[in-house]
Amino acid sequence: MASADEESGTNSPWAYKSQPHDHPLVKELFDRHQNYPPLPVSFNVGLVSMDTNETARDIKTENIEVEIATDSVTLSGNVVRLNQVRYVVPFVMDNAPFILISIYSGKHDAPSCLFYNIKPEDQFQTVAILNLMRKAKYDEIMKECKCDSDIAVTAVDFNRPRFSDYINCSVTSRPARNTFYIRVDKECMSFFPDQFQSKPELELFFWKEAGDLVVNRVLLVNDTKDIKFESNNTTVLVNNQEKIDEFKQVIVNNRSRTKQIYQDHGALVRHLVDSADDRAIRSTSGDSRNPSATFHTTYGSENWENELSTSRGTSFKDDFADIIDRLNCAESTLTGNETVSLEWIVVCDDIKDIITSDLVPPSEFQSAGLDPDDPEHFRRCLEAVEEKMMKEQRYDIALSHLKGMRDVFAANTKPSVKSFFRKDDLDILKMVYYRSWS
């Protein structure tokens, strides 16, 4: 049994830190030091569900056992690997502490999310279960990724609910229901008939990869202030209501990410390290703006078209990162294609000869009325470079256009754009070349 001193401060970086919006009871419980039993350990708890009939909705609990080991968690006989645990967070109802545990179920390439609402026997159980699960996940990340402690803690904290409440909305695939309990986290938006349902009726994922249940576009309807979500399989219209501003703020501050970082600790750690590098660059350049202040709308789209607003609504649209991400994705996907790679070698030699011979003409982009803060202009410039390079084989003009892009978009302060233009001309043209083959 560890002492309070051993479990305090830097000796327990994995311990849950209360958040600004936490209930006062959560702050009280998790701001004090605790002693924890060694792993593996089991606890008897209650699994909360809603007993619904035509006249009443009653909360009921089922006795289950939670066992926490160094590499897994067992919920009433269901063994879950630690990389299946999405998050574990506290909440309070009727002035009593509860725990929400979210895990992946189903296939790895098409996971669904399950949610367990746990009622511990006492306050110590609440803190112990939650923190021991966090400790097990933290230890696994440290062992698997050999990263800094701060990064491991950030990985443990990466995903958690951002919004949870009953919301009036219409869902094309669920026409009989007009009110859902909606839970939004970084990865997905889950729709439940009630707060204690384990399996959502619908999930919409905020992934960059295409998929039937991936959010393709988000619109704010100007006339009604409703929020519209579009995916391949369904459309959701969240009505303007009391909590719409809070809900909208969560959506606006979200962003699309590759699904791998949610399911693989190594991918998540690499993402967090890259994000830390971007923050350092932003700090050095004097740009203190929130990198998540705009919402990425073209989650699964593989084409160049930017999802712009219509007369009916305004898109929470991505500002450059998705365009650059599609370039990176195309290059990484096609690098192993022998035909494409061999042709690039020939093209690359021709471009090198033009650069060496100083045959790059002056650029005309500076006088084209381009806005350095407009992603549509950025996209059109890349298309112009691609057309000259791939359709006309005018590598000299492609280099000229690229020089003009550098001059115009030097005024853009976004980390993604600055990082993009730190590459040399050959590297950027290589990305455009591979994008033309995708």
Side-chain angles (χ1 to χ4, degrees):
M1 183 84 63
S3 69
D5 290 339
E6 290 172 338
E7 295 293 354
S8 64
T10 57
N11 290 329
S12 55
W14 38 265
Y16 181 84
K17 306 296 190 301
S18 61
Q19 303 299 301
H21 298 296
D22 278 343
H23 189 279
L25 178 58
V26 171
K27 295 178 182 295
E28 176 192 346
L29 290 179
F30 286 90
D31 286 349
R32 68 172 71 151
H33 300 317
Q34 299 285 358
N35 297 329
Y36 302 99
L39 300 180
V41 62
S42 61
F43 302 91
N44 293 314
V45 299
L47 176 63
V48 186
S49 61
M50 185 78 78
D51 187 8
T52 305
N53 55 51
E54 294 182 357
T55 59
R57 296 160 67 92
D58 297 322
I59 295 175
K60 64 178 183 179
T61 59
E62 170 192 353
N63 292 329
I64 68 167
E65 184 179 66
V66 174
E67 181 177 340
I68 306 166
T70 56
D71 58 353
S72 64
V73 177
T74 304
L75 297 163
S76 192
N78 179 26
V79 180
V80 176
R81 299 187 309 276
L82 289 178
N83 63 357
Q84 291 178 265
V85 178
R86 302 180 67 239
Y87 50 77
V88 49
V89 293
F91 69 98
V92 173
M93 186 177 66
D94 296 333
N95 210 37
F98 290 74
I99 297 173
L100 174 67
I101 302 172
S102 178
I103 66 169
Y104 289 112
S105 65
K107 298 179 180 178
H108 183 73
D109 59 344
S112 59
C113 304
L114 291 180
F115 297 82
Y116 292 85
N117 290 277
I118 302 298
K119 182 179 181 181
E121 291 183 347
D122 52 42
Q123 294 183 351
F124 170 73
Q125 267 199 6
T126 303
V127 178
I129 291 172
L130 192 143
N131 272 340
L132 288 175
M133 286 185 65
R134 287 174 60 88
K135 182 181 188 303
K137 192 163 187 176
Y138 169 89
D139 288 344
E140 182 177 80
I141 292 171
M142 290 289 286
K143 179 180 177 181
E144 179 181 336
C145 304
K146 296 178 174 55
C147 57
D148 292 340
S149 175
D150 288 347
I151 290 291
V153 172
T154 304
V156 172
D157 283 329
F158 181 72
N159 201 9
R160 66 174 68 192
R162 262 54 184 178
F163 179 91
S164 301
D165 213 327
Y166 288 94
I167 288 289
N168 297 326
C169 62
S170 58
V171 180
T172 56
S173 60
R174 303 290 189 278
R177 187 182 298 280
N178 57 21
T179 299
F180 291 85
Y181 187 85
I182 297 181
R183 184 175 290 124
V184 183
D185 55 52
K186 285 187 176 181
E187 183 179 21
C188 71
M189 181 164 54
S190 303
F191 297 75
F192 306 85
D194 61 69
Q195 177 180 357
F196 300 108
Q197 189 85 6
S198 291
K199 185 175 181 180
E201 287 192 358
L202 172 69
E203 294 164 296
L204 292 179
F205 291 90
F206 303 129
W207 292 337
K208 287 186 180 295
E209 296 86 351
D212 289 339
L213 294 177
V214 173
V215 176
N216 293 324
R217 192 164 66 147
V218 184
L219 294 172
L220 175 64
V221 181
N222 289 332
D223 295 339
T224 61
K225 303 303 180 184
D226 296 343
I227 299 176
K228 184 179 182 181
F229 296 83
E230 296 178 354
S231 72
N232 293 345
N233 273 12
T234 191
T235 298
V236 176
L237 189 67
V238 177
N239 306 131
N240 188 8
Q241 54 202 285
E242 181 182 356
K243 295 185 178 295
I244 195 68
D245 288 340
E246 179 186 351
F247 177 80
K248 182 175 71 174
Q249 191 62 40
V250 169
I251 298 301
V252 168
N253 286 331
N254 209 345
R255 58 180 295 190
S256 61
R257 297 173 175 88
T258 177
K259 65 182 178 181
Q260 185 183 17
I261 68 173
Y262 295 100
Q263 302 164 33
D264 179 77
H265 292 154
L268 174 56
V269 165
R270 289 191 295 273
H271 168 77
L272 294 174
V273 170
D274 290 343
S275 298
D277 289 343
D278 275 349
R279 285 194 296 272
I281 294 166
R282 201 162 56 248
S283 175
T284 302
S285 66
D287 182 1
S288 59
R289 292 177 293 179
N290 183 350
S292 304
T294 54
F295 192 70
H296 292 213
T297 58
T298 53
Y299 287 95
S301 176
E302 288 298 328
N303 57 44
W304 281 93
E305 290 302 319
N306 206 346
E307 300 287 357
L308 297 175
S309 62
T310 68
S311 59
R312 292 187 58 252
T314 301
S315 291
F316 299 121
K317 70 185 185 69
D318 179 19
D319 52 359
F320 290 94
D322 278 346
I323 298 172
I324 296 170
D325 283 348
R326 286 195 287 276
L327 284 169
N328 285 318
C329 182
E331 182 180 1
S332 62
T333 300
L334 289 169
T335 296
N337 185 306
E338 184 175 350
T339 300
V340 176
S341 297
L342 288 174
E343 288 196 21
W344 165 248
I345 293 174
V346 176
V347 171
C348 181
D349 287 341
D350 290 343
I351 294 173
K352 286 179 179 178
D353 288 342
I354 292 171
I355 295 173
T356 303
S357 302
D358 196 21
L359 296 177
V360 181
S363 172
E364 298 178 357
F365 271 7
Q366 292 92 330
S367 59
L370 293 170
D371 180 357
D373 294 317
D374 190 334
E376 177 68 6
H377 289 189
F378 184 76
R379 178 184 65 80
R380 291 208 305 262
C381 287
L382 286 171
E383 286 181 331
V385 171
E386 180 179 331
E387 181 176 2
K388 293 299 180 184
M389 183 169 67
M390 302 305 298
K391 292 183 179 180
E392 302 178 19
Q393 283 78 52
R394 287 301 306 271
Y395 307 135
D396 57 335
I397 304 298
L399 285 163
S400 174
H401 284 357
L402 182 54
K403 181 181 183 302
M405 281 190 71
R406 289 185 183 277
D407 293 339
V408 171
F409 291 97
N412 187 296
T413 59
K414 293 188 178 298
S416 58
V417 176
K418 286 185 172 296
S419 177
F420 178 74
F421 283 117
R422 279 197 298 273
K423 302 177 185 297
D424 63 30
D425 289 350
L426 270 176
D427 285 338
I428 293 177
L429 291 182
K430 182 180 180 182
M431 296 167 71
V432 174
Y433 167 85
Y434 277 108
R435 175 61 182 83
S436 71
W437 284 85
S438 64

